[in-house]
Amino acid sequence: MPGTAGLLAGFMAMLYIALLTESDAGIRGNVSALNSTISCHAALVPTAQCRRALPVAVKVQRRAFEQVRRPDARALRILAAALASAVFFADALTSLHIAISVLYVVVILLVAFTGSRRATHSSAWTCAALTLAALAIAHPHGVPGGAAARSAMSLVAIAVTSFIAIRHQASTAHLIEQIHLLNLTHDAIVVYDMNDRIAFWNQGAEKLYGWPAHRALRQPIHELTRTRFPAAADEVRAALLQAGRWDGELERTRDDGTVVTIASRLALLRDERGKPRAVLATDNDITLRKNLQMELQRKQDEMSAMLEAIPGMIWASTHDGEIEPMNRRWDAFDIAPGDATRKDRSLWRTLVHPHDLPRLENDWRSAVATGAPFEGTARLRRKDGLYRWMHICAEPLRNIDGAIVRWYGVNTDIEERKRAEEALERSEAFLADGQRLSHTGSIAMKLPDGEMLWSHEAYRIFGYAANVVPSMDLILARTHPDDIALVRQSYRQILAEAPFIDIEHRLLMPDRSVKHVHYVAHLSARQSGRFEYVGALMDVTHAKHTEEALTRSMTELAHVTRVTMLGELTASIAHEVSQPIAAIVTCGHAALRWLDRPQPDLAEAREAIDKAIRSAKRASDIVWRIRSMAQKRGPAHVPLDLNALVDESIELVLHELHDHGVELEIEYMSPAPHIIGDRVQLQQVLINLMMNGAQAMAAVTGRAKRLWVATRMADAQYVHVIVKDAGTGIKAEHAGQLFEAFFTTRSEGMGIGLSICRSIVEAHGGRIWAESPPEGGAALQFTLPVYDGRPQ
Ligand code: ADP
């Protein structure tokens, strides 16, 4: 019975071992934690200690890693229980005289292998109890000395093994605790062997690189993270081997593919013989810092580039006004950025023109004292010795209390602007002088509001003070009452944006004097899209008076030449007049004869008297025309039938033409065109041309002296009169001079006939010229504006 009870007790004890090991599943949590928490931080663990601790840590991590993957505690428990059972039964039931219970040491080691101190303790006590129980069962009648000695030896083995296992567990637990502490760091701690295979990978590394420890371990670190060293990888390795440490920045690719910049500190781990064993890396993610640094650098570069790009000398100043150049624009003035701080802060003063320095210093001092923005101009000397005008301005930078911390300023070269301003002033003065001398003002008008700008001369022409605001009303107030409608019409054209305005009108000045002005303007589009008239207002009073005097002289000259011409035509005129008078006499005699007959023939007498009256009328017309040609009077422009005008002119020279043997051919346009003009003056032109033609044909013999006079339309606006002869023609060298006064080729000529013709035709708005037809002779011709019946 005692044997059966002992066996049962042994069985229960083994079951207890199994239960204890089962309850140690928690150790696996620790082991797992170990896997991911072992860490040795160079900053937390002194180097010597680290050297000792790290190889252990590497082993622990490896073991822990392996433990996770080995058969679990359940298998160990079953194995331990089976082994304990086997040892117990063999010890209790067999009569082998060996210390079989020494094998309990293996049971204890198996249990210790699960990592639980409590289980190890318990299994040790259980194994000791089983040893004693087996001794009692195997020797119920007394324990022989040999058996007792064997059991005692087994108990000593169990005690020693348990002690060592528990000590080992205690030191491991201590290490884990330390590793837990080290794991509190945010740094990534990685240990890799000399083949770059990762042996240790802490939570920080997991977080930084993304790979969990179980995927990272045993991987080649540089391939896994695609490390990019700042130098060649071999150089880094050589430096590490030589110095035992290496600090630097690396680029690595994380598990998710993003590239991070790492500040890495490497420490080389050597064994007792100094042989390199592993590398301990402490890595920090400095991507953000790096990016910020790069961004800061970029901003600084950008700022410097901007400072250099600004077309001015940039400077900063202390709150008390000591200036320091900040960009290279100062180079041209022989001061480089930094010079002022290194040498002399008042260096800039040496640059300022002596005449400008006192004023500039004074203004600058007062700006610094009051904190008001600074603005001024001064000449600064370049390194080539030339002074340049600068516009200098500065603004203070204040702190949150409003106190001035620094000043920032810029000097802008305004030399060109100054010169341009001076040139502009000069040209404005020239323009004003020119306008004054030529009596020409400028008027600009903006549309649609009619806002105006007058030059000084325009004010002077209108007789207004220069401070009045120019307007259309002011112009109308000065316009001669008879011309107001004309000016208003032009203003309407301006509002309708007519491209060109050309108007002449009179001004009635406050002293009742009359001015003649001529305004020409054109429409120009400004950049803003608004239209503007820019024009010139000329005071043509003097020219007008001169022109009137000229016209008067011309009229008088024309009169004189007409009278002279009449003198030349005396024979012809006498013939023209005597012919109707003789006809009157003849008709009178005939009438008398018809009346004196015994049977007076009243009808014949009446007819003869009618003829006499017609001849008297004809004589009277001729006399009237001659009188009007001889009369001294101003031109009178009236509508005229062009064909009738030519007819009347021919009538005066007809006899003269016959005397010269001229055959006259007339070709009138039908219906007869009308013109506006002075009858007598235009007759003078026609007579002159026909007489010249007759004179040019005087020497012609052997061919017909044909004079061809024609009227036609030159175009829709002008009539065309041609007087073509078959005379000597015009020599090429004379062609340009015919119409000049006093040009003549005739010994008895005066050379003013054609010049007067030109004055008359041009005064009528027409043009006169001479051509040499291919068949010979000359074709003198002129145009005149056609009269369309509209009031002039
Ligand atoms: P004048 O008849 O007194 O010379 P004009 O002014 O009438 O002055 O003519 C100027 C000159 O023009 C003439 O001297 C003559 O040389 C030339 N001339 C004018 N008409 C003709 C013409 N039909 N044919 C050739 N020459 C002409």
Side-chain angles (χ1 to χ4, degrees):
M1 259 336 265
T4 313
L7 283 173
L8 195 65
F11 181 73
M12 292 300 288
M14 283 174 288
L15 196 65
Y16 176 66
I17 290 171
L19 284 172
L20 275 177
T21 49
E22 174 70 359
S23 70
D24 277 351
I27 193 73
R28 275 183 288 124
N30 281 341
V31 169
S32 167
L34 179 70
N35 185 34
S36 56
T37 56
I38 289 176
S39 148
C40 180
H41 191 274
L44 294 177
V45 180
T47 313
Q49 191 184 343
C50 192
R51 277 204 188 128
R52 282 194 307 277
L54 274 166
V56 179
V58 173
K59 281 181 195 155
V60 169
Q61 165 100 354
R62 191 165 59 229
R63 239 183 277 145
F65 177 74
E66 285 163 359
Q67 194 174 346
V68 168
R69 298 197 308 179
R70 82 166 61 116
D72 60 13
R74 176 182 285 269
L76 288 172
R77 179 199 65 193
I78 292 166
L79 191 63
L83 185 61
S85 307
V87 172
F88 175 71
F89 285 115
D91 197 17
L93 303 179
T94 61
S95 52
L96 294 172
H97 297 293
I98 54 170
I100 197 162
S101 52
V102 170
L103 290 176
Y104 284 124
V105 169
V106 180
V107 173
I108 291 164
L109 286 176
L110 282 174
V111 173
F113 206 52
T114 64
S116 167
R117 286 178 71 188
R118 201 161 68 88
T120 310
H121 261 289
S122 305
S123 60
W125 286 114
T126 306
C127 287
L130 287 175
T131 305
L132 294 174
L135 183 65
I137 292 165
H139 306 285
H141 308 295
V143 179
R150 285 194 295 277
S151 293
M153 200 176 72
S154 298
L155 286 173
V156 168
I158 288 168
V160 171
T161 306
S162 303
F163 177 73
I164 291 170
I166 286 166
R167 276 293 300 272
H168 178 73
Q169 280 179 337
S171 65
T172 305
H174 180 66
L175 190 61
I176 289 171
E177 205 171 298
Q178 281 191 339
I179 287 166
H180 267 300
L181 279 174
L182 291 173
N183 205 37
L184 291 176
T185 179
H186 296 288
D187 297 344
I189 309 288
V190 180
V191 177
Y192 51 90
D193 62 20
M194 299 316 288
N195 294 321
D196 296 336
R197 300 256 167 213
I198 298 168
F200 177 69
W201 187 261
N202 80 337
Q203 272 184 344
E206 284 185 341
K207 212 164 155 192
L208 173 55
Y209 296 115
W211 286 278
H214 70 269
R215 281 181 54 210
L217 287 170
R218 293 190 178 143
Q219 299 294 323
I221 177 139
H222 300 316
E223 282 170 33
L224 181 71
T225 59
R226 283 181 263 163
T227 308
R228 277 212 299 273
F229 290 98
D234 290 346
E235 286 177 26
V236 174
R237 191 181 177 91
L240 178 66
L241 288 173
Q242 194 192 6
R245 326 186 57 83
W246 182 86
D247 285 0
E249 288 179 8
L250 313 171
E251 269 188 10
R252 282 189 165 142
T253 306
R254 300 178 72 234
D255 188 24
D256 62 7
T258 52
V259 176
V260 284
T261 307
I262 303 293
S264 187
R265 280 169 291 168
L266 307 182
L268 187 66
L269 306 173
R270 295 176 188 273
D271 61 16
E272 301 77 39
R273 281 168 296 172
K275 191 177 168 209
R277 290 286 309 281
V279 178
L280 169 70
T282 310
D283 296 342
N284 291 97
D285 183 357
I286 57 163
T287 311
L288 187 63
R289 196 176 81 201
K290 198 80 187 165
N291 287 348
L292 284 175
Q293 267 176 359
M294 278 163 60
E295 181 63 12
L296 194 67
Q297 188 60 45
R298 196 183 62 74
K299 288 258 184 247
Q300 275 176 354
D301 293 349
E302 202 175 274
M303 184 67 82
S304 324
M306 271 163 62
L307 285 180
E308 295 306 333
I310 291 171
M313 301 154 71
I314 312 291
W315 50 269
S317 142
T318 54
H319 68 282
D320 52 357
E322 291 304 336
I323 286 169
E324 180 191 332
M326 287 191 68
N327 68 350
R328 293 195 187 286
R329 298 271 168 176
W330 288 80
D331 288 355
F333 292 77
D334 221 7
I335 295 184
D339 274 4
T341 37
R342 283 198 302 275
K343 295 179 194 165
D344 176 8
R345 280 180 174 276
S346 63
L347 209 55
W348 66 273
R349 288 183 174 84
T350 61
L351 299 182
V352 183
H353 195 287
H355 286 164
D356 303 338
L357 186 59
R359 176 178 46 83
L360 191 70
E361 274 193 314
N362 195 36
D363 292 353
W364 176 230
R365 265 200 301 273
S366 95
V368 169
T370 59
F374 174 80
E375 194 162 348
T377 54
R379 281 162 290 177
L380 300 193
R381 196 189 60 245
R382 268 195 332 209
K383 64 178 163 195
D384 59 8
L386 293 177
Y387 281 96
R388 308 274 298 177
W389 274 105
M390 294 281 161
H391 175 257
I392 304 165
C393 63
E395 287 280 341
L397 174 73
R398 296 171 189 275
N399 63 15
I400 47 169
D401 302 326
I404 292 176
V405 188
R406 265 172 100 70
W407 286 82
Y408 290 96
V410 58
N411 302 355
T412 315
D413 190 328
I414 54 165
E415 184 69 27
E416 304 303 327
R417 199 179 85 192
K418 272 263 178 197
R419 283 197 198 151
E421 277 171 6
E422 282 169 16
L424 189 67
E425 269 173 33
R426 264 201 310 277
S427 71
E428 274 181 354
F430 279 147
L431 186 67
D433 272 0
Q435 291 208 341
R436 195 163 44 76
L437 292 171
S438 66
H439 306 293
T440 306
S442 305
I443 296 182
M445 187 191 292
K446 287 182 189 161
L447 293 181
D449 46 15
E451 187 190 330
M452 279 189 174
L453 196 73
W454 292 355
S455 71
H456 286 298
E457 189 58 17
Y459 276 101
R460 204 197 58 72
I461 292 172
F462 286 124
Y464 285 117
N467 57 358
V468 298
V469 179
S471 69
M472 195 62 209
D473 289 341
L474 288 185
I475 295 177
L476 288 171
R478 284 282 189 267
T479 304
H480 193 286
D482 294 348
D483 293 347
I484 281 185
L486 188 67
V487 173
R488 281 192 195 284
Q489 192 198 338
S490 286
Y491 186 53
R492 279 195 293 276
Q493 286 178 351
I494 286 174
L495 293 180
E497 295 175 3
F500 196 74
I501 300 294
D502 189 336
I503 173 180
E504 262 193 71
H505 65 94
R506 287 163 294 170
L507 302 179
L508 186 59
M509 305 306 285
D511 63 359
R512 311 301 298 165
S513 64
V514 173
K515 278 186 184 173
H516 292 265
V517 290
H518 185 186
Y519 178 63
V520 284
H522 74 103
L523 187 64
S524 62
R526 291 165 61 77
Q527 278 191 342
S528 59
R530 283 166 45 133
F531 287 102
E532 187 179 43
Y533 276 95
V534 182
L537 178 79
M538 290 162 276
D539 182 349
V540 292
T541 312
H542 184 66
K544 206 79 185 169
H545 289 164
T546 311
E547 189 187 307
E548 281 169 8
L550 197 68
T551 309
R552 267 199 307 278
S553 310
M554 203 279 288
T555 310
E556 276 169 18
L557 187 61
H559 175 246
V560 170
T561 50
R562 269 201 310 275
V563 172
T564 312
M565 195 171 68
L566 284 175
E568 286 173 13
L569 292 173
T570 313
S572 176
I573 291 166
H575 175 81
E576 286 302 313
V577 177
S578 65
Q579 232 186 8
I581 291 172
I584 293 166
V585 172
T586 310
C587 291
H589 285 300
L592 284 177
R593 275 199 305 278
W594 288 116
L595 290 173
D596 289 344
R597 286 174 74 161
Q599 278 293 321
D601 190 335
L602 292 179
E604 289 291 345
R606 173 180 289 274
E607 194 180 326
I609 290 168
D610 272 352
K611 265 189 192 165
I613 290 170
R614 279 202 300 279
S615 293
K617 176 101 171 54
R618 191 168 126 70
S620 152
D621 280 355
I622 292 168
V623 170
W624 179 82
R625 257 170 233 141
I626 291 164
R627 273 193 62 203
S628 62
M629 284 202 93
Q631 246 173 18
K632 190 179 175 189
R633 55 165 188 81
H637 286 227
V638 291
L640 298 170
D641 177 326
L642 183 66
N643 292 350
L645 185 80
V646 175
D647 244 356
E648 287 159 11
S649 309
I650 289 172
E651 202 168 290
L652 288 174
V653 291
L654 197 60
H655 187 74
E656 188 74 14
L657 296 180
H658 281 163
D659 278 1
H660 280 80
V662 172
E663 292 173 21
L664 186 64
E665 269 182 46
I666 305 168
E667 201 176 306
Y668 287 136
M669 181 195 164
S670 180
H674 283 73
I675 53 166
I676 290 269
D678 182 87
R679 179 190 300 273
V680 172
Q681 285 189 344
L682 293 175
Q683 278 178 356
Q684 185 177 351
V685 172
L686 282 160
I687 290 169
N688 218 320
L689 297 185
M690 288 187 285
M691 289 301 292
N692 277 354
Q695 283 160 2
M697 292 189 289
V700 170
T701 49
R703 58 182 160 95
K705 297 179 180 179
R706 188 167 298 118
L707 187 71
W708 182 70
V709 181
T711 59
R712 57 177 62 174
M713 291 299 291
D715 56 34
Q717 275 105 40
Y718 287 89
V719 296
H720 188 186
V721 181
I722 307 164
V723 179
K724 190 167 79 175
D725 61 65
T728 50
I730 299 159
K731 289 188 178 152
E733 65 265 32
H734 296 155
Q737 297 168 281
L738 292 193
F739 296 93
E740 283 176 13
F742 305 116
F743 173 78
T744 180
T745 55
R746 293 194 300 122
S747 53
E748 70 279 19
M750 280 168 54
I752 52 171
L754 285 184
S755 87
I756 286 177
C757 288
R758 185 172 68 174
S759 304
I760 293 172
V761 170
E762 287 178 357
H764 280 75
R767 188 168 77 87
I768 186 166
W769 72 100
E771 282 178 10
S772 296
E775 64 272 18
L780 277 290
Q781 47 207 307
F782 62 90
T783 58
L784 291 172
V786 72
Y787 172 55
D788 55 8
R790 280 190 296 192
Q792 294 294 295

